[in-house]
Every structure is written in C-alpha cells, then in structure tokens.
Amino acid sequence: LSNAYIQDYLDNQKPSEDELKAEYERIKASITGIEFKARHILVASEAEARAVIDQLKKSPNDFDKLAAVKSLDTGSKENGGDLGWFDLSSMVPEFGNAAAKLEKGQISQAPVKTEYGYHIIQLEDSRPIQAPPFDEVKSHLVEAVQQKNLKTQVEDLKAKAKIVMTETPAPTSASAP
C-alpha cells in the first residue's frame, strides 16, 4: 500500500519550472573551485620522463608531437596528450597537486610520479568551475526535487499520524489431543 502511495505521488506531483530553477540556482551557488585544462605525456620511467622534459626545454611547442609518439596514455596520446577540463578531485592526488602548482602554459620541470607511471604536465588554462546548463540537468533536477518533496510529504504524514506501538502477543502453543 505504501509503495502504491509513493508511486501515485511521484506520478502526480511533478515539480514546477520555478521549483526546478530554484533548485538549479541553489546547486549552482554551491559549486566552487577551479577546473584545469591540461596535456600530459605518460612514460614508464623517471629517466624517460627527464629526457622528454629536456626535449621540451629545447622545443616547448613539440608537446603534442612528443605526446603522440612517447605517451603510454592511449586515451590522450592521439590528441597531443589533451585531458580536457577536469577538477582536481577527478585526478590522482599527485597529478592534481602538480597541475595546480603550474602557471598557464607552463610545463612541469620534474616528472610527476603516480601509480600509472611518470607524467610530464602542461597546464593550458584554468577557470572557476561552471555549472552545466539548466536544460542539460533538468531531468536530474526533476528527480531530485520529487525525492525531496516526497521525503517532506512522508515526514509530514508521520508527524500528523497517530502511531501506536503495541507488543505482539506471544504465540500460544496448542495442546495436543
């Protein structure tokens, strides 16, 4: 019965556009921090990483070419080592900490060791983290607002209900004939 009530509530209590926009603005206001755009070259040894850094000191514009030839990261090597935009929490700590210390356009001067190998990082840019557009997250917001409203509804029903707890009688044993 309670499951039927919940399903009926969800089917018939769709949040308004204003509720969705208010929830979006609330979430958007809580988004803080910086995201980074970087390239990297991943190699197996520290010596190889140092050799790549030396090559880049002579020819910094060759980063994408070196990434395509030397990097072990099959997901980014074809794009010149491009990792796109990311926040630090999505990277292993060693990589994120190193990227955060770089200035725009700067290449790491020492190899960055992680569980994957040795990275040479080039920071391309950084910016405040931006919320995705409203239309892109609207369906998720509908679900979140419905769940929040349902929780409020259930708590309200519990508060108004007269709930009496009774002990269940102990089972009686039937006497054998």
Side-chain angles (χ1 to χ4, degrees):
L1 190 59
S2 63
N3 287 341
Y5 175 82
I6 289 170
Q7 191 58 54
D8 181 63
Y9 182 88
L10 293 174
D11 290 344
N12 296 305
Q13 300 295 322
K14 303 293 183 194
S16 70
E17 194 75 10
D18 288 343
E19 283 180 290
L20 295 176
K21 285 183 179 176
E23 181 67 6
Y24 176 75
E25 291 302 324
R26 186 190 66 76
I27 292 170
K28 188 174 162 183
S30 70
I31 295 174
T32 58
I34 297 174
E35 61 183 352
F36 299 87
K37 184 171 184 359
R39 297 177 178 275
H40 82 136
I41 301 171
L42 174 64
V43 295
S45 71
E46 184 176 0
E48 190 177 1
R50 291 194 183 282
V52 170
I53 290 170
D54 288 341
Q55 284 180 285
L56 289 169
K57 284 179 182 176
K58 295 174 192 163
S59 219
N61 294 333
D62 287 348
F63 196 97
D64 58 339
K65 293 175 193 164
L66 286 170
V69 173
K70 305 244 180 208
S71 187
L72 300 174
D73 182 0
T74 56
S76 71
K77 74 184 285 175
E78 297 304 320
N79 298 324
D82 188 7
L83 297 170
W85 289 98
F86 59 88
D87 69 71
L88 297 181
S89 66
S90 66
M91 296 293 178
V92 291
E94 303 88 352
F95 188 98
N97 291 338
K101 291 177 185 171
L102 294 173
E103 298 291 324
K104 184 177 177 179
Q106 187 179 10
I107 297 171
S108 54
Q109 296 301 299
V112 178
K113 185 180 185 329
T114 70
E115 61 191 85
Y116 303 105
Y118 293 85
H119 304 262
I120 300 92
I121 305 168
Q122 180 181 38
L123 181 65
E124 292 189 315
D125 206 355
S126 63
R127 66 183 182 196
I129 294 175
Q130 299 172 352
F134 175 75
D135 291 336
E136 196 175 295
V137 294
K138 186 175 179 178
S139 63
H140 297 291
L141 290 172
V142 168
E143 194 174 306
V145 170
Q146 278 187 311
Q147 290 299 320
K148 188 171 115 181
N149 291 347
L150 176 63
K151 183 179 178 190
T152 302
Q153 174 71 7
V154 169
E155 288 172 359
D156 188 45
L157 288 172
K158 282 182 183 178
K160 291 177 181 175
K162 180 180 177 187
I163 300 173
V164 178
M165 302 293 278
T166 60
E167 290 186 34
T168 356
T172 57
S173 59
S175 51

